[in-house]
Tab-separated table of all heavy atoms in Angstrom:
chain	number	residue	atom	x	y	z
V	57	TRP	N	-46.469	-71.662	-27.417
V	57	TRP	CA	-47.580	-71.432	-28.352
V	57	TRP	C	-48.884	-71.485	-27.574
V	57	TRP	O	-49.182	-72.487	-26.921
V	57	TRP	CB	-47.574	-72.483	-29.466
V	57	TRP	CG	-46.314	-72.415	-30.254
V	57	TRP	CD1	-45.221	-73.225	-30.136
V	57	TRP	CD2	-45.988	-71.439	-31.239
V	57	TRP	NE1	-44.244	-72.814	-30.997
V	57	TRP	CE2	-44.676	-71.730	-31.696
V	57	TRP	CE3	-46.666	-70.360	-31.798
V	57	TRP	CZ2	-44.050	-70.965	-32.667
V	57	TRP	CZ3	-46.030	-69.603	-32.760
V	57	TRP	CH2	-44.744	-69.903	-33.190
V	58	PHE	N	-49.653	-70.431	-27.630
V	58	PHE	CA	-50.943	-70.395	-26.940
V	58	PHE	C	-51.949	-71.262	-27.678
V	58	PHE	O	-52.168	-71.091	-28.885
V	58	PHE	CB	-51.456	-68.956	-26.820
V	58	PHE	CG	-50.944	-68.258	-25.600
V	58	PHE	CD1	-49.650	-67.774	-25.566
V	58	PHE	CD2	-51.740	-68.126	-24.475
V	58	PHE	CE1	-49.153	-67.160	-24.431
V	58	PHE	CE2	-51.258	-67.514	-23.333
V	58	PHE	CZ	-49.956	-67.028	-23.311
V	59	LEU	N	-52.542	-72.199	-26.953
V	59	LEU	CA	-53.582	-73.067	-27.488
V	59	LEU	C	-54.962	-72.513	-27.156
V	59	LEU	O	-55.916	-72.745	-27.884
V	59	LEU	CB	-53.446	-74.473	-26.901
V	59	LEU	CG	-52.087	-75.163	-27.112
V	59	LEU	CD1	-52.044	-76.468	-26.341
V	59	LEU	CD2	-51.826	-75.372	-28.589
V	60	SER	N	-55.050	-71.815	-26.020
V	60	SER	CA	-56.292	-71.193	-25.569
V	60	SER	C	-55.916	-70.058	-24.628
V	60	SER	O	-54.732	-69.794	-24.425
V	60	SER	CB	-57.184	-72.208	-24.847
V	60	SER	OG	-56.634	-72.530	-23.579
V	61	ASP	N	-56.917	-69.427	-24.034
V	61	ASP	CA	-56.632	-68.349	-23.083
V	61	ASP	C	-55.909	-68.854	-21.837
V	61	ASP	O	-55.283	-68.073	-21.133
V	61	ASP	CB	-57.928	-67.665	-22.649
V	61	ASP	CG	-58.494	-66.770	-23.733
V	61	ASP	OD1	-57.723	-66.320	-24.610
V	61	ASP	OD2	-59.710	-66.506	-23.699
V	62	PHE	N	-56.001	-70.145	-21.564
V	62	PHE	CA	-55.469	-70.686	-20.323
V	62	PHE	C	-54.362	-71.719	-20.499
V	62	PHE	O	-53.755	-72.132	-19.522
V	62	PHE	CB	-56.598	-71.325	-19.504
V	62	PHE	CG	-57.731	-70.379	-19.247
V	62	PHE	CD1	-58.964	-70.570	-19.848
V	62	PHE	CD2	-57.568	-69.280	-18.425
V	62	PHE	CE1	-60.012	-69.690	-19.619
V	62	PHE	CE2	-58.605	-68.396	-18.182
V	62	PHE	CZ	-59.823	-68.597	-18.789
V	63	LYS	N	-54.097	-72.158	-21.722
V	63	LYS	CA	-53.174	-73.262	-21.946
V	63	LYS	C	-52.191	-72.937	-23.069
V	63	LYS	O	-52.555	-72.311	-24.055
V	63	LYS	CB	-53.966	-74.518	-22.298
V	63	LYS	CG	-53.192	-75.788	-22.164
V	63	LYS	CD	-54.120	-76.974	-22.266
V	63	LYS	CE	-53.576	-78.059	-21.387
V	63	LYS	NZ	-54.429	-79.190	-21.279
V	64	VAL	N	-50.950	-73.409	-22.886
V	64	VAL	CA	-49.915	-73.239	-23.895
V	64	VAL	C	-49.265	-74.582	-24.197
V	64	VAL	O	-49.328	-75.513	-23.395
V	64	VAL	CB	-48.814	-72.247	-23.440
V	64	VAL	CG1	-49.341	-70.834	-23.329
V	64	VAL	CG2	-48.152	-72.694	-22.156
V	65	GLN	N	-48.659	-74.653	-25.353
V	65	GLN	CA	-47.798	-75.780	-25.682
V	65	GLN	C	-46.375	-75.258	-25.558
V	65	GLN	O	-46.026	-74.243	-26.158
V	65	GLN	CB	-48.051	-76.274	-27.104
V	65	GLN	CG	-47.132	-77.406	-27.494
V	65	GLN	CD	-47.463	-77.928	-28.874
V	65	GLN	OE1	-48.613	-78.226	-29.166
V	65	GLN	NE2	-46.465	-78.012	-29.730
V	74	ALA	N	-47.994	-79.724	-22.929
V	74	ALA	CA	-48.993	-78.674	-22.739
V	74	ALA	C	-49.026	-78.324	-21.259
V	74	ALA	O	-48.939	-79.207	-20.408
V	74	ALA	CB	-50.364	-79.147	-23.206
V	102	ARG	N	-49.759	-63.408	-23.186
V	102	ARG	CA	-50.641	-63.728	-24.318
V	102	ARG	C	-50.603	-62.605	-25.357
V	102	ARG	O	-50.560	-62.866	-26.561
V	102	ARG	CB	-52.071	-63.969	-23.838
V	102	ARG	CG	-52.959	-64.502	-24.972
V	102	ARG	CD	-54.396	-64.623	-24.565
V	102	ARG	NE	-54.928	-63.288	-24.370
V	102	ARG	CZ	-55.806	-62.951	-23.431
V	102	ARG	NH1	-56.274	-63.840	-22.600
V	102	ARG	NH2	-56.246	-61.727	-23.337
V	106	GLU	N	-49.634	-62.809	-29.295
V	106	GLU	CA	-50.454	-62.270	-30.383
V	106	GLU	C	-49.683	-61.261	-31.219
V	106	GLU	O	-49.988	-61.065	-32.399
V	106	GLU	CB	-51.720	-61.640	-29.810
V	106	GLU	CG	-52.672	-62.653	-29.212
V	106	GLU	CD	-53.808	-62.023	-28.421
V	106	GLU	OE1	-53.733	-60.817	-28.080
V	106	GLU	OE2	-54.776	-62.743	-28.145
V	161	GLY	N	-46.003	-67.488	-29.918
V	161	GLY	CA	-47.070	-67.185	-30.851
V	161	GLY	C	-48.354	-67.865	-30.441
V	161	GLY	O	-48.458	-68.425	-29.349
V	162	CYS	N	-49.303	-67.828	-31.333
V	162	CYS	CA	-50.596	-68.473	-31.102
V	162	CYS	C	-50.768	-69.583	-32.125
V	162	CYS	O	-50.459	-69.405	-33.301
V	162	CYS	CB	-51.722	-67.453	-31.254
V	162	CYS	SG	-51.640	-66.115	-30.058
V	163	SER	N	-51.261	-70.722	-31.666
V	163	SER	CA	-51.517	-71.823	-32.584
V	163	SER	C	-52.654	-71.462	-33.514
V	163	SER	O	-53.467	-70.579	-33.209
V	163	SER	CB	-51.842	-73.101	-31.806
V	163	SER	OG	-53.146	-73.005	-31.275
V	164	PRO	N	-52.760	-72.119	-34.665
V	164	PRO	CA	-53.846	-71.815	-35.590
V	164	PRO	C	-55.245	-71.981	-34.976
V	164	PRO	O	-56.193	-71.308	-35.382
V	164	PRO	CB	-53.654	-72.817	-36.728
V	164	PRO	CG	-52.217	-73.181	-36.662
V	164	PRO	CD	-51.836	-73.095	-35.205
V	165	SER	N	-55.357	-72.827	-33.952
V	165	SER	CA	-56.654	-73.040	-33.312
V	165	SER	C	-56.986	-71.974	-32.279
V	165	SER	O	-58.110	-71.909	-31.806
V	165	SER	CB	-56.683	-74.408	-32.624
V	165	SER	OG	-55.711	-74.452	-31.595
V	166	PHE	N	-56.021	-71.117	-31.930
V	166	PHE	CA	-56.248	-70.091	-30.926
V	166	PHE	C	-57.149	-69.000	-31.500
V	166	PHE	O	-56.865	-68.452	-32.560
V	166	PHE	CB	-54.924	-69.476	-30.466
V	166	PHE	CG	-55.074	-68.452	-29.376
V	166	PHE	CD1	-55.274	-68.828	-28.068
V	166	PHE	CD2	-55.030	-67.097	-29.663
V	166	PHE	CE1	-55.410	-67.900	-27.049
V	166	PHE	CE2	-55.155	-66.150	-28.666
V	166	PHE	CZ	-55.346	-66.557	-27.362
V	167	PRO	N	-58.232	-68.661	-30.806
V	167	PRO	CA	-59.135	-67.636	-31.317
V	167	PRO	C	-58.573	-66.231	-31.076
V	167	PRO	O	-58.532	-65.763	-29.953
V	167	PRO	CB	-60.417	-67.849	-30.505
V	167	PRO	CG	-59.936	-68.464	-29.226
V	167	PRO	CD	-58.718	-69.253	-29.578
V	168	THR	N	-58.115	-65.582	-32.123
V	168	THR	CA	-57.541	-64.238	-31.982
V	168	THR	C	-58.543	-63.185	-32.418
V	168	THR	O	-59.463	-63.431	-33.119
V	168	THR	CB	-56.265	-64.064	-32.798
V	168	THR	OG1	-56.521	-64.416	-34.154
V	168	THR	CG2	-55.157	-64.936	-32.220
Side-chain angles (χ1 to χ4, degrees):
W57 299 100
F58 273 77
L59 303 173
S60 72
D61 286 337
F62 305 111
K63 197 169 213 174
V64 293
Q65 178 177 310
R102 188 185 68 217
E106 292 170 345
C162 298
S163 74
S165 63
F166 183 78
T168 54

